[in-house]
Structures are given as structure tokens and as C-alpha cells.
Amino acid sequence: MASVTQQQIQKFHKDGFLVLEQFFSAEECDSMRSQIQKIIAEMEVPPHCRTEFSTREEEQLQAQGSSDYFLTSGDKIRFFFEKGVLDGKGDFLIPKEKSVSKIGHALHAYDPVFKQITHSPKVQELGRKLGLERPVVVQSMYIFKSLLAVTPHQDATFLHTEPLGRILGFWIALEDATQENGCLWFIPGSHTNGITRRMVRAASGASTCVEFVGSEPAYEDKQFIPLPISKGGLILIHGEVVHKSEHNSSESSRHVFTFHVMEAKGTTWSKENWLQPTPELPFPSLYT
């Protein structure tokens, strides 16, 4: 992979995202895919933990919020399921490898393959090119993207910092992401307007563990541009840029490994975020 140029970095600051094709090799992508197959093969899901993952706000609150499983997943490797894959008793209606929506949120810390990718020299070099002084990894996820659309959102809604502008997403395509199978869409330049919605931990005793404060403005479809990307490509995502994905209308899957980094220098991580560092897993430094 060619080194990232200053011109590209300027483009990132202007648009709020940057596409870097062929950042990872096909072998690296395949190693992540085969590792996730192993993890799923060994997956034992306690029935009380069978949380369906949803991005629609009410369902999100209901499915994740009623569940400590989500709130305490920051320092573990946990499984979140597609809607409708479990029966009333919590048993799988379809093969379990097709039932998982995502696996999160500490693959980067506890799985050797994902740890190596997250801290790979080229990622560290990119961090330095971006001027990150004390970057730490706050979370990671493996996303299967079988069907669901993801509504327009900003990552800082879920990962809030003071000041803003300290969160950066690394989104790695483990197979080609196309308009048919659910590539990302962005509103260029939308990272400069702050945020209007936050997901916060609810007061103790509330019926859900998290709640939303504020609301997402209505975005028009024509504001978004699609960013198809080939296997091994990396999309850098500013924490406040507005992005979405459409549902996967194809026969092919769209596997992704993604992780979020925070510039820790001069930054306060919100105590109200669902995700909190723990004594077992303080946020690890990106630089090794």
C-alpha cells in the first residue's frame, strides 16, 4: 500500500471521510474472516444473553437497553443477533453463523488476529500522519451486514468526548462493499456541525439502560454519496460525519472489521457513554 499523502489528509479534514483502497492485503482480510468463523463455531450463547441487535431507536432501547449484556460488552467478545433468528425460547431458527449481526466490542484486545490488525504498523503510521499523539482504541466490532439498513447517524452520538472531534473510525472491508450489498453513504462536510443526538446511560432504576437525548435531523437522500470500496480497503470516518448504509439487497455478504480510536491527549471520555473503560481493560494505546 502506498503511503498516505498530505493531500489525502487534507481531503479527510474537508470531507470527514477518506477512502484508502488496498490498505490491507487479501490475506489479511481472509485471516480475519477465518478467525471469525472459529469464534462463531465456539460460540456458546447463554439464552438470557440473546440480545437482538437493531439500529432503530425504539428497538435499540428495548433490545439493548433492557440488557446488561450490551452495556458490559466493552471489555469482552460478545454476540449480537439479527432480528427474527431466534424463537421464543431463544433457540436458533437458522444456522448460527447466519444469525449473528455483529460481534463486539473488544476483539482488538482479546483476539490475536484482530489485535494484530488493529495495531498493525500501517495503522500506526496512519495515526501518526493524522497527527494523533495519544490515540487509544475504545472499541471494535465485526459486522456481518446480512440484511439491515443502518439509519443515518454520527458515531459521536454513541462515543461522546469533550471536546468533540476526538473520535476516528477505521472501517475495513473484508470483501467488496458495493451499492448492492450495503456500502456506506456519507454527507461530505457534515462533520463540522457538531452533534444533535446522544445515547447516554439512563438513570438507575429506569426501564432501559440507555436513552437518547436530542434527535437526529431529517437528512435528504440526495445529500448522501455512496462509497463503494474493494476488499482490503479502509474508510477513515470522522466521529461527527453523517453516514448510513442501505439494506443488503444482494446474495453476497458484506463483512467488515471496524474499530474506533480516540485522541486521548486533552480529551475527556463522557461518563454517560454506554461504553466505559474497566480495570480489566483500560483503553489500550494504538501505538505499541
Side-chain angles (χ1 to χ4, degrees):
M1 129 207 167
S3 200
V4 178
T5 64
Q6 274 316 111
Q7 211 175 355
Q8 287 174 302
I9 287 174
Q10 281 165 351
K11 191 169 166 47
F12 170 72
H13 290 305
K14 178 173 156 277
D15 293 337
F17 57 82
L18 180 63
V19 175
L20 298 170
E21 288 281 7
Q22 297 176 326
F23 193 86
F24 288 97
S25 67
E27 293 71 35
E28 287 171 312
C29 293
D30 295 342
S31 73
M32 288 186 264
R33 292 196 64 184
S34 56
Q35 186 69 358
I36 219 75
Q37 291 310 325
K38 283 193 198 121
I39 289 173
I40 288 180
E42 292 163 14
M43 159 175 87
E44 281 304 324
V45 190
H48 71 274
C49 293
R50 291 184 166 171
T51 308
E52 290 187 347
F53 179 70
S54 167
T55 58
R56 303 232 169 253
E57 192 166 305
E58 311 67 58
E59 294 171 10
Q60 214 171 23
L61 291 176
Q62 192 191 350
Q64 298 181 350
S66 58
S67 163
D68 208 32
Y69 186 70
F70 169 71
L71 274 193
T72 56
S73 63
D75 61 351
K76 302 175 187 69
I77 295 175
R78 286 189 165 170
F79 304 92
F80 300 90
F81 299 98
E82 295 284 4
K83 287 174 68 67
V85 300
L86 303 166
D87 64 16
K89 298 197 295 293
D91 292 322
F92 292 106
L93 296 167
I94 61 171
K96 68 179 183 178
E97 61 277 7
K98 289 213 166 86
S99 68
V100 181
S101 153
K102 63 173 204 173
I103 298 178
H105 288 90
L107 287 160
H108 62 279
Y110 295 128
D111 182 274
V113 172
F114 292 99
K115 185 175 193 171
Q116 191 181 357
I117 292 287
T118 303
H119 297 279
S120 62
K122 48 197 165 190
V123 169
Q124 298 192 40
E125 186 201 348
L126 180 53
R128 292 196 166 93
K129 284 262 169 72
L130 288 160
L132 300 177
E133 292 186 57
R134 278 191 26 224
V136 296
V137 186
V138 298
Q139 70 154 2
S140 56
M141 284 187 290
Y142 191 104
I143 304 171
F144 294 83
K145 185 64 184 179
S146 43
L147 291 169
L148 292 177
V150 175
T151 51
H153 67 283
Q154 298 164 289
D155 292 343
T157 283
F158 306 95
L159 309 171
H160 191 267
T161 59
E162 303 271 339
L164 284 170
R166 302 299 172 89
I167 292 289
L168 184 60
F170 291 72
W171 191 95
I172 305 158
L174 303 188
E175 41 197 344
D176 295 351
T178 63
Q179 287 197 44
E180 291 68 47
N181 76 354
C183 71
L184 295 180
W185 296 65
F186 286 81
I187 302 181
S190 57
H191 60 303
T192 56
N193 306 327
I195 59 168
T196 56
R197 186 172 77 121
R198 285 184 59 189
M199 186 173 93
V200 300
R201 290 183 167 234
S204 59
S207 60
T208 58
C209 297
V210 289
E211 60 194 9
F212 284 94
V213 179
S215 60
E216 206 64 62
Y219 302 108
E220 292 180 47
D221 283 347
K222 64 171 191 281
Q223 294 175 272
F224 288 89
I225 60 162
L227 290 193
I229 188 164
S230 306
K231 174 177 177 172
L234 168 72
I235 302 181
L236 270 183
I237 304 175
H238 186 285
E240 284 112 81
V241 75
V242 178
H243 58 290
K244 66 174 182 174
S245 64
E246 298 298 334
H247 72 274
N248 182 352
S249 57
S250 74
E251 292 297 302
S252 54
S253 54
R254 189 220 69 178
H255 288 205
V256 166
F257 177 58
T258 176
F259 58 91
H260 283 90
V261 165
M262 171 178 72
E263 168 61 271
K265 188 183 179 186
T267 309
T268 308
W269 179 257
S270 171
K271 290 271 183 273
E272 295 185 300
N273 285 339
W274 72 268
L275 175 77
Q276 294 297 327
T278 63
E280 296 73 38
L281 184 62
F283 294 149
S285 170
L286 180 68
Y287 300 149
T288 47

